Amino acid sequence: VKELLTGGEAVAHAMRQIDPDVVPVYPITPQTPIIQGFAKFVANGRAHAELIDVESEHSAMSAAIGSALAGARTITATSSQGLALMAEVVYIAASMRAPIVMAVGNRALSGPINIHCDHSDSMLIRDSGVVQLFAENAQEAYDLMVVAPRIAEHPDVLLPVLVCLDGFTITHAAEPVELIADDDVRFFVGDYDLPHPMLDVGEPSSHGPFAMPDHYFELRRQQAAALDFVQVALAGAADAFELLTSRRLHALEEYRLDDANCAIVALGSTAGTVKDTIDELREEGKQVGLLRICSFRPFPAVEVAAALAGIETVIVLDRADSPGGTPPLHAEVAATLYGSGCELRGHVYGLGGRDLHPEDIREIFASDQGAYVGVRGEECPA
Amino acid sequence: MAELKSWRDLPAGGRVSPATAPQPRTGGWRTGLVPEVELSACVNCLLCWLYCPDSAVNLDGTTFTGFDYDYCKGCEVCAEVCPTGAITMAEERP
C-alpha cells in the first residue's frame, strides 16, 4: 500500500514490521519522530519490542550491544550530538561485531548549535567500522531499514548497519511511500539467528575481551574484511528485496551518466535536486550526470571508478567539512580516481541545513561557485 | 603457548569460548617471598585454600598437599591466615 508518510514515520513503520526484540533509545531532533512513532506502535500493541528509556545515547548503544549479543534483534536511532556522545560505543559495537540496526537522522554537529541537516554527525564515525547507507528519500529510507537486518546479521558481516536519512528534508517531509505487507517484511528479515549468542547456556562465551598487541591488529583486520563483505551481502539482500518489491537498491546509483562529460557525486537527499537540475540542463543540451553514493561505508571504490571512467570533469559535493584537509567524500572519490586524468573539483555545501537550490547546482556545473557553496563572502574562481 | 591464529581463524570480534585460552603460568609475576609449609604442623583447616586469591593451594581430595608455584603471586595471605604457623614465607630459591 502507498501512504503519505514522513521519512521518520516510514522508518518507524519499517521498525514495526521488523518487530525487533529490544529498542534502547534516547530522543533527539530530528530523529525523534522515528522513536516517537515506534513508541506509539508499541503502546498500541502493534509492535512488541522491549523499549528501554535509557539516560543517554552512550547508554543506548551500550544497551544495544548487550541485547544484540545476548541474542535479541536490536534497533536504535539517533542524530548529531547523540551520535557524537555515542561515538565511543559505536566503535565498540563494531569491534564486538554486534549486528545492531540504527537509523541516523543526519543533523549538523555543534557548534554553533543547530538542528538542521548536514552529514558531519555520520562523518564523525566514518572510521568506526560500521556500515553507513545514505537514503535519497523517505521511500529509500524505509527500504534500507527493511534490508538492514539482513545485511547486519549476515554471518560474514555481523556489524552495525546505519541507515542515514537527511534531517528534516527526509525525516520530517511527507512523501508517498510504498509499504510492504507486514507478513512479507517479517518473512524477509526472518528470525534473529546470531551464531554465538551470549545467553546460549549450552555454549557460553565471553565477548569483548581485552586484546594485547598480539591480537588487536588481527581483530581490526578481521573487522575490515567484514566491512568489505558488506558489498556482497548488500547485493544479495537487494536481489531478494527486488523479488519482493520490484524495487532495486544499489550501493551506488548512476543517473544520466552514460554520455556525460561532467558529473556530480553526492550523498543523500541532495541527489534528488541534482537529478531535477540535470534533467533541465539536458533539455538545454548539456551532457551532465550524477553518481549518487548510497553505501558510503563500505565505499564501492571499484564501482565508483568504473562509473566515472571517461568523464572529463567530476565534481564532488560534500555536506560535511574537514577543516584543514579534504572533505570526506571528496577524499574518497579522489582516491578512486587517482591517475585517471580527469578534472576533479570539490565543494562543501549545505552545512547546518543551508538549502542547495537548482540555481546553485547550475552554477556548480558552470564552475561559478567557490569551494563553499552559497556562503556569503565566498570568492568564486575567475 | 599455543600458536597465534591468523585474523581469518579468530572468532568474530575476538569472542572467547570456555577453556580455549592457553594457560599462562602467572607465577612468573611473583615478587618477594614464597610460601613454604611444614606439613607436620598443618591441621588441614584449609583456610589457606579458602583465602588464596589465585587457587594456588593444592589439595588431594580435601587434604592440603602444598602450593602450586606456577600460579602463586607471593601475596602472603596463606601465611597470615594459617592458625598453626605451618606456613612461612621464605626467600625464593633460583
Side-chain angles (χ1 to χ4, degrees), chain A residues 256-299:
Chain A
R256 306 192 80 161
L257 214 50
D258 279 348
D259 61 342
N261 53 32
C262 183
I264 279 180
V265 182
L267 300 172
S269 64
T270 297
T273 319
V274 174
K275 285 175 183 174
D276 279 355
T277 312
I278 285 172
D279 290 346
E280 292 172 11
L281 289 167
R282 284 276 177 176
E283 293 282 313
E284 298 163 21
K286 305 266 181 13
Q287 284 174 279
V288 290
L290 166 74
L291 180 65
R292 180 176 68 90
I293 309 295
C294 173
S295 174
F296 182 68
R297 280 291 179 272
F299 192 78

Coordinates of all heavy atoms in Angstrom, one line a residue, chain A residues 256-299:
Chain A
R256 N 21.9 9.4 -15.6 CA 22.2 10.0 -16.9 C 23.8 10.2 -17.1 O 24.2 11.3 -17.5 CB 21.5 11.4 -17.1 CG 20.0 11.2 -16.9 CD 19.2 12.4 -17.2 NE 19.0 12.4 -18.7 CZ 18.0 13.1 -19.3 NH1 17.1 13.8 -18.6 NH2 17.9 13.2 -20.6
L257 N 24.5 9.1 -16.8 CA 25.9 9.2 -16.7 C 26.6 8.7 -18.0 O 27.7 9.0 -18.2 CB 26.4 8.4 -15.5 CG 27.6 8.8 -14.7 CD1 27.5 10.3 -14.3 CD2 27.8 7.9 -13.5
D258 N 25.8 7.9 -18.7 CA 26.5 7.2 -19.9 C 27.2 8.1 -20.8 O 28.4 7.8 -21.1 CB 25.4 6.4 -20.7 CG 25.1 5.1 -20.0 OD1 25.8 4.7 -19.1 OD2 24.1 4.5 -20.4
D259 N 26.6 9.2 -21.3 CA 27.3 10.1 -22.2 C 27.7 11.4 -21.6 O 27.8 12.4 -22.3 CB 26.4 10.3 -23.4 CG 25.1 11.0 -23.0 OD1 24.7 11.0 -21.8 OD2 24.4 11.6 -23.9
A260 N 27.7 11.4 -20.3 CA 28.0 12.7 -19.6 C 29.5 13.0 -19.7 O 30.4 12.1 -19.7 CB 27.6 12.6 -18.1
N261 N 29.8 14.3 -19.9 CA 31.2 14.7 -19.8 C 31.5 15.5 -18.5 O 32.6 15.8 -18.2 CB 31.6 15.6 -21.0 CG 30.7 16.8 -21.2 OD1 30.2 17.3 -20.2 ND2 30.5 17.2 -22.5
C262 N 30.4 15.7 -17.7 CA 30.6 16.3 -16.4 C 29.6 15.7 -15.4 O 28.4 15.5 -15.7 CB 30.3 17.8 -16.5 SG 30.6 18.7 -15.0
A263 N 30.1 15.3 -14.3 CA 29.3 14.5 -13.3 C 29.5 15.0 -11.9 O 30.6 15.4 -11.5 CB 29.6 13.0 -13.4
I264 N 28.3 15.1 -11.2 CA 28.4 15.4 -9.8 C 28.3 14.1 -9.0 O 27.7 13.1 -9.4 CB 27.2 16.3 -9.4 CG1 27.5 17.7 -9.7 CG2 26.8 16.1 -7.9 CD1 26.4 18.7 -9.4
V265 N 29.1 14.0 -7.9 CA 29.0 12.9 -7.0 C 28.5 13.4 -5.7 O 29.0 14.4 -5.1 CB 30.4 12.2 -6.7 CG1 30.3 11.0 -5.8 CG2 31.0 11.8 -8.1
A266 N 27.4 12.8 -5.1 CA 26.8 13.3 -3.9 C 26.1 12.2 -3.1 O 25.9 11.1 -3.6 CB 25.8 14.4 -4.2
L267 N 25.8 12.5 -1.8 CA 25.1 11.6 -0.9 C 23.8 12.2 -0.6 O 23.6 13.4 -0.5 CB 25.9 11.4 0.4 CG 27.3 10.9 0.5 CD1 27.8 11.1 1.9 CD2 27.4 9.5 0.1
G268 N 22.8 11.3 -0.3 CA 21.6 11.8 0.4 C 20.6 12.5 -0.5 O 20.6 12.4 -1.7
S269 N 19.7 13.3 0.2 CA 18.6 13.9 -0.5 C 18.9 14.9 -1.5 O 18.1 15.2 -2.4 CB 17.7 14.6 0.6 OG 18.3 15.7 1.2
T270 N 20.1 15.5 -1.4 CA 20.5 16.5 -2.4 C 20.5 15.9 -3.8 O 20.3 16.6 -4.8 CB 22.0 17.0 -2.1 OG1 21.9 17.7 -0.8 CG2 22.5 17.9 -3.1
A271 N 20.7 14.6 -3.9 CA 20.7 13.9 -5.2 C 19.4 14.1 -5.9 O 19.4 14.3 -7.2 CB 21.0 12.4 -5.0
G272 N 18.3 14.3 -5.2 CA 17.0 14.5 -5.9 C 17.0 15.8 -6.6 O 16.6 16.0 -7.8
T273 N 17.5 16.9 -5.9 CA 17.6 18.2 -6.5 C 18.6 18.2 -7.7 O 18.3 18.8 -8.7 CB 18.1 19.2 -5.5 OG1 17.4 18.9 -4.2 CG2 17.7 20.6 -5.9
V274 N 19.7 17.5 -7.5 CA 20.7 17.4 -8.6 C 20.0 16.7 -9.9 O 20.2 17.2 -11.0 CB 21.9 16.7 -8.2 CG1 22.9 16.5 -9.3 CG2 22.6 17.4 -7.0
K275 N 19.3 15.7 -9.6 CA 18.6 15.0 -10.8 C 17.7 15.9 -11.5 O 17.7 15.9 -12.8 CB 17.8 13.8 -10.3 CG 18.7 12.6 -9.8 CD 17.8 11.5 -9.2 CE 18.6 10.3 -8.7 NZ 17.8 9.3 -8.0
D276 N 16.9 16.7 -10.8 CA 15.9 17.6 -11.5 C 16.7 18.6 -12.3 O 16.3 18.9 -13.4 CB 15.1 18.3 -10.4 CG 13.9 17.4 -10.0 OD1 13.7 16.3 -10.6 OD2 13.1 17.8 -9.1
T277 N 17.8 19.1 -11.7 CA 18.6 20.1 -12.4 C 19.2 19.5 -13.6 O 19.3 20.2 -14.7 CB 19.6 20.7 -11.5 OG1 19.0 21.1 -10.2 CG2 20.3 21.9 -12.0
I278 N 19.7 18.3 -13.5 CA 20.3 17.6 -14.6 C 19.3 17.5 -15.8 O 19.6 17.7 -16.9 CB 20.9 16.2 -14.2 CG1 22.2 16.4 -13.4 CG2 21.1 15.3 -15.4 CD1 22.7 15.2 -12.8
D279 N 18.1 17.1 -15.4 CA 17.0 17.0 -16.4 C 16.8 18.3 -17.2 O 16.7 18.3 -18.4 CB 15.7 16.6 -15.8 CG 15.7 15.1 -15.3 OD1 16.7 14.4 -15.7 OD2 14.8 14.8 -14.5
E280 N 16.9 19.4 -16.5 CA 16.7 20.7 -17.1 C 17.9 21.0 -18.0 O 17.8 21.5 -19.1 CB 16.6 21.9 -16.1 CG 15.3 21.8 -15.2 CD 15.4 22.8 -14.1 OE1 16.3 23.7 -14.0 OE2 14.5 22.8 -13.2
L281 N 19.1 20.7 -17.5 CA 20.3 21.0 -18.2 C 20.4 20.1 -19.5 O 20.9 20.6 -20.5 CB 21.6 20.8 -17.3 CG 21.8 21.9 -16.2 CD1 22.8 21.4 -15.2 CD2 22.2 23.2 -16.9
R282 N 19.9 18.9 -19.4 CA 19.9 18.0 -20.5 C 19.0 18.6 -21.6 O 19.4 18.5 -22.8 CB 19.4 16.6 -20.1 CG 20.5 15.8 -19.3 CD 21.4 15.1 -20.3 NE 22.4 14.3 -19.6 CZ 23.3 13.6 -20.3 NH1 23.2 13.4 -21.6 NH2 24.2 13.0 -19.6
E283 N 17.9 19.2 -21.2 CA 17.0 19.8 -22.2 C 17.7 20.9 -22.9 O 17.4 21.2 -24.1 CB 15.8 20.5 -21.4 CG 14.8 19.5 -20.8 CD 13.9 18.8 -21.8 OE1 13.4 19.6 -22.6 OE2 13.8 17.6 -21.7
E284 N 18.7 21.5 -22.2 CA 19.5 22.6 -22.8 C 20.7 22.1 -23.6 O 21.5 22.8 -24.0 CB 19.9 23.6 -21.8 CG 18.7 24.3 -21.1 CD 19.1 24.9 -19.7 OE1 20.3 25.2 -19.5 OE2 18.2 25.1 -18.9
G285 N 20.8 20.7 -23.6 CA 21.9 20.1 -24.4 C 23.2 19.9 -23.6 O 24.2 19.5 -24.2
K286 N 23.2 20.1 -22.3 CA 24.4 19.9 -21.5 C 24.5 18.4 -21.2 O 23.5 17.8 -20.7 CB 24.3 20.7 -20.2 CG 24.1 22.2 -20.5 CD 25.4 23.0 -20.5 CE 25.3 24.5 -20.7 NZ 24.0 25.1 -20.5
Q287 N 25.7 17.9 -21.4 CA 25.9 16.5 -21.1 C 26.4 16.3 -19.6 O 27.6 16.2 -19.4 CB 26.9 15.9 -22.1 CG 26.3 15.6 -23.5 CD 27.4 15.2 -24.4 OE1 28.1 16.0 -25.0 NE2 27.5 13.9 -24.7
V288 N 25.4 16.3 -18.7 CA 25.7 16.2 -17.3 C 25.0 15.0 -16.7 O 24.0 14.6 -17.2 CB 25.3 17.5 -16.6 CG1 26.2 18.7 -17.0 CG2 23.9 17.9 -16.9
G289 N 25.6 14.5 -15.6 CA 25.1 13.4 -14.9 C 25.4 13.4 -13.5 O 26.0 14.3 -12.9
L290 N 24.9 12.3 -12.8 CA 25.1 12.2 -11.3 C 25.5 10.8 -11.0 O 25.0 9.9 -11.5 CB 23.7 12.6 -10.6 CG 23.6 12.2 -9.1 CD1 24.4 13.1 -8.3 CD2 22.2 12.2 -8.7
L291 N 26.4 10.7 -10.0 CA 26.7 9.4 -9.4 C 26.3 9.6 -7.9 O 26.9 10.4 -7.2 CB 28.1 9.0 -9.5 CG 28.5 7.7 -8.8 CD1 27.8 6.5 -9.5 CD2 30.0 7.5 -8.9
R292 N 25.2 8.9 -7.5 CA 24.8 9.0 -6.1 C 25.4 7.8 -5.3 O 25.2 6.7 -5.7 CB 23.3 9.1 -6.0 CG 22.8 9.2 -4.5 CD 21.3 9.3 -4.4 NE 20.6 8.0 -4.8 CZ 20.3 7.0 -4.0 NH1 20.6 7.1 -2.7 NH2 19.7 6.0 -4.4
I293 N 26.0 8.1 -4.2 CA 26.6 7.0 -3.4 C 25.6 6.7 -2.3 O 25.2 7.6 -1.5 CB 27.9 7.5 -2.7 CG1 28.9 8.0 -3.8 CG2 28.5 6.3 -2.0 CD1 29.4 7.1 -4.8
C294 N 25.1 5.5 -2.3 CA 24.2 5.1 -1.1 C 25.1 4.5 -0.1 O 25.0 4.8 1.1 CB 23.2 4.1 -1.6 SG 22.2 3.4 -0.3
S295 N 26.0 3.6 -0.5 CA 26.8 2.9 0.5 C 28.1 3.7 0.7 O 29.1 3.5 -0.1 CB 27.2 1.4 0.1 OG 28.1 0.9 0.9
F296 N 28.2 4.6 1.7 CA 29.4 5.3 1.9 C 30.4 4.5 2.6 O 31.6 4.6 2.5 CB 29.1 6.6 2.7 CG 30.3 7.4 2.9 CD1 30.9 8.1 1.9 CD2 30.9 7.6 4.2 CE1 32.1 8.8 2.1 CE2 32.0 8.3 4.4 CZ 32.6 9.0 3.3
R297 N 30.0 3.6 3.5 CA 30.8 2.6 4.2 C 30.1 1.3 4.1 O 29.0 1.2 4.7 CB 31.1 3.0 5.6 CG 32.2 4.0 5.8 CD 33.6 3.4 5.4 NE 34.7 4.4 5.5 CZ 35.0 5.2 4.5 NH1 34.4 5.2 3.3 NH2 36.0 6.1 4.6
P298 N 30.6 0.2 3.4 CA 31.9 0.3 2.7 C 31.7 1.2 1.4 O 30.6 1.2 0.8 CB 32.1 -1.2 2.3 CG 30.8 -1.8 2.2 CD 30.0 -1.1 3.3
F299 N 32.8 1.8 1.0 CA 32.8 2.6 -0.2 C 33.1 1.8 -1.4 O 34.1 1.1 -1.4 CB 33.8 3.7 0.0 CG 33.7 4.8 -1.1 CD1 32.7 5.8 -1.0 CD2 34.5 4.8 -2.2 CE1 32.6 6.8 -1.9 CE2 34.4 5.8 -3.2 CZ 33.4 6.8 -3.1

